[in-house]
Every structure is written in C-alpha cells, then in structure tokens.
Amino acid sequence: MEISGRKLASPVFATKDNPAADTRQMRRIIAEDPDWSLATVPLLTELCVKHIVRNFEDNPILDELLPKHKSKVLEVLSTEIAMKVTANLVSDEGYWKRCCKARWEVCDINHHGGSWKRMYFERNLEGIIENFVPETTDPSLLSTPYIRGLNIRQLLPPVKEALIKDDDASDAGSDAGQDGPSIDHFDFGLVTPKLAHLEELHLTYG
C-alpha cells in the first residue's frame, strides 16, 4: 500500500509478522464478538482428564488423582471397559449404576444388597451360567469376589453346532454321539469353590 509516496505495510502481513499489532490478541474481552469466550480454551486439568479416560483400558489411572478429578473421570468413563480392568479398581457406585443401566432395562438393587456393583457382577455371572455352553464359554470368567447371591432361573441343555461335510452326511447318525457336548448342564463345581463370599444360591431348572 502506498500513500503520498510512502509505502505502508499491509495490515494482514503486519499482524502476521507482529501478533501484538492485532489488538484482538492483546485483549481479554472482545465485546464485538458474541461467540468469543475465555471458556473456549480448555483447562490443562480438563485435557488431562480426557486423556486418562481415553486411555483408561490400557493405562488405568484413578487412585492417584485428586478426589475432584477422580469424580470427573468416573462420570464419563466408558461402561464398555473390560471388567478385568475396573473390577478391583473402581468402587464408585455411580459408575456401576451406569454399567447396569446400559446393560439391562430392569434393574432392582434391592435383590442385590442395595449395591450396584454387586448387582452387576451377580447378574453377569447368572447370565454366564444360564447360557453356559461346554467347550465354548470360558470358565475363567466365573471367578469374582463380589458375589454374595445367585438366582439361576434356567439351566438349558447346551447346543453345540457341528460342521458336517457333505461327504460325511451318511455317517452323521453314527457320529452324533461323539460330536455332542461332554456334559448336559452347567457344572457348578467350576464356580462354587471360587465364590468365597457366596451366601445364597437359588436354582430353577427343568
């Protein structure tokens, strides 16, 4: 730009080369911009909380946090995180309430000692037992110290699907017995020795 024989620096390049030339960057309040706010700049603690939540399954950090930061993590922590990570680390009832609500439509903690965490583990184990299929369900999932009562409503005979080749179809009848599951129902010997705090066991089967 040239005025009366003098060259003046373009305001665009001037502010780029010298940020202080842009008065907007030097002001704490920009009244003419209704969308501008200091709140748009996240606090460092908020960034740290988001990072912890995002990487919690691979690097769980909770007890080391201040109570207020710990609460923020638990408020937004995913309910899909593996139980092997959260079982012994998270005791907050609010978190386990969210886990229960996300998994089951009807939740009544009165049947589980008034504890959301206990309800989650008891109903999880009940589901594993009721739908147990030999050689398919992992028995290692059954061990947990947070279970005091179980209400098993059904014990269905397991169904094991066998892949039969076309050329072996004629032998299907004779081999059916060999392809079947090794047991008819769930073997409670797999789980009861590991439930040191089990006080009640209700069982219905037919």
Side-chain angles (χ1 to χ4, degrees):
M1 181 182 297
E2 184 173 345
I3 300 178
S4 301
R6 293 185 303 169
K7 291 185 178 181
L8 299 178
S10 170
V12 175
F13 293 103
T15 56
K16 181 178 180 181
D17 297 335
N18 182 17
D22 185 356
T23 57
R24 288 173 59 95
Q25 297 187 29
M26 302 301 294
R27 293 155 55 191
R28 290 184 57 82
I29 299 177
I30 303 177
E32 67 273 17
D33 187 350
D35 297 325
W36 187 90
S37 172
L38 280 175
T40 58
V41 181
L43 298 175
L44 180 59
T45 54
E46 294 178 357
L47 295 176
C48 291
V49 166
K50 291 181 179 179
H51 177 79
I52 291 173
V53 171
R54 187 166 51 248
N55 299 277
F56 196 86
E57 190 154 9
D58 296 325
N59 184 28
I61 299 175
L62 193 63
D63 292 337
E64 299 88 339
L65 303 177
L66 294 176
K68 61 180 181 180
H69 299 150
K70 183 177 180 179
S71 298
K72 290 183 178 180
V73 170
L74 292 171
E75 286 175 0
V76 296
L77 191 62
S78 172
T79 58
E80 300 295 328
I81 295 178
M83 289 191 299
K84 64 180 181 180
V85 176
T86 57
N88 298 321
L89 183 60
V90 180
S91 59
D92 180 71
E93 283 287 283
Y95 172 76
W96 292 108
K97 179 179 180 179
R98 290 198 295 114
C99 290
C100 290
K101 294 286 187 179
R103 189 166 177 180
W104 301 290
E105 293 184 1
V106 179
C107 299
D108 187 357
I109 60 175
N110 292 323
H111 298 300
H112 304 274
S115 170
W116 288 100
K117 183 173 184 177
R118 175 181 161 183
M119 173 184 172
Y120 187 86
F121 282 97
E122 289 180 351
R123 290 193 62 174
N124 177 72
L125 180 54
E126 289 169 357
I128 292 176
I129 293 176
E130 292 174 351
N131 299 282
F132 181 81
V133 178
E135 302 177 14
T136 300
T137 305
D138 184 2
S140 64
L141 297 175
L142 306 178
S143 177
T144 175
Y146 304 103
I147 295 173
R148 296 184 178 274
L150 291 174
N151 183 18
I152 309 302
R153 301 169 182 82
Q154 64 178 14
L155 280 178
L156 300 180
V159 177
K160 180 180 178 182
E161 297 182 357
L163 298 178
I164 303 177
K165 298 181 180 179
D166 293 339
D167 57 348
D168 294 335
S170 59
D171 299 331
S174 60
D175 295 339
Q178 298 178 1
D179 290 337
S182 57
I183 59 176
D184 292 332
H185 291 288
F186 176 78
D187 181 7
F188 279 87
L190 295 172
V191 59
T192 50
K194 302 176 183 179
L195 299 177
H197 303 287
L198 184 65
E199 300 172 354
E200 298 182 20
L201 175 60
H202 301 276
L203 178 61
T204 302
Y205 65 94

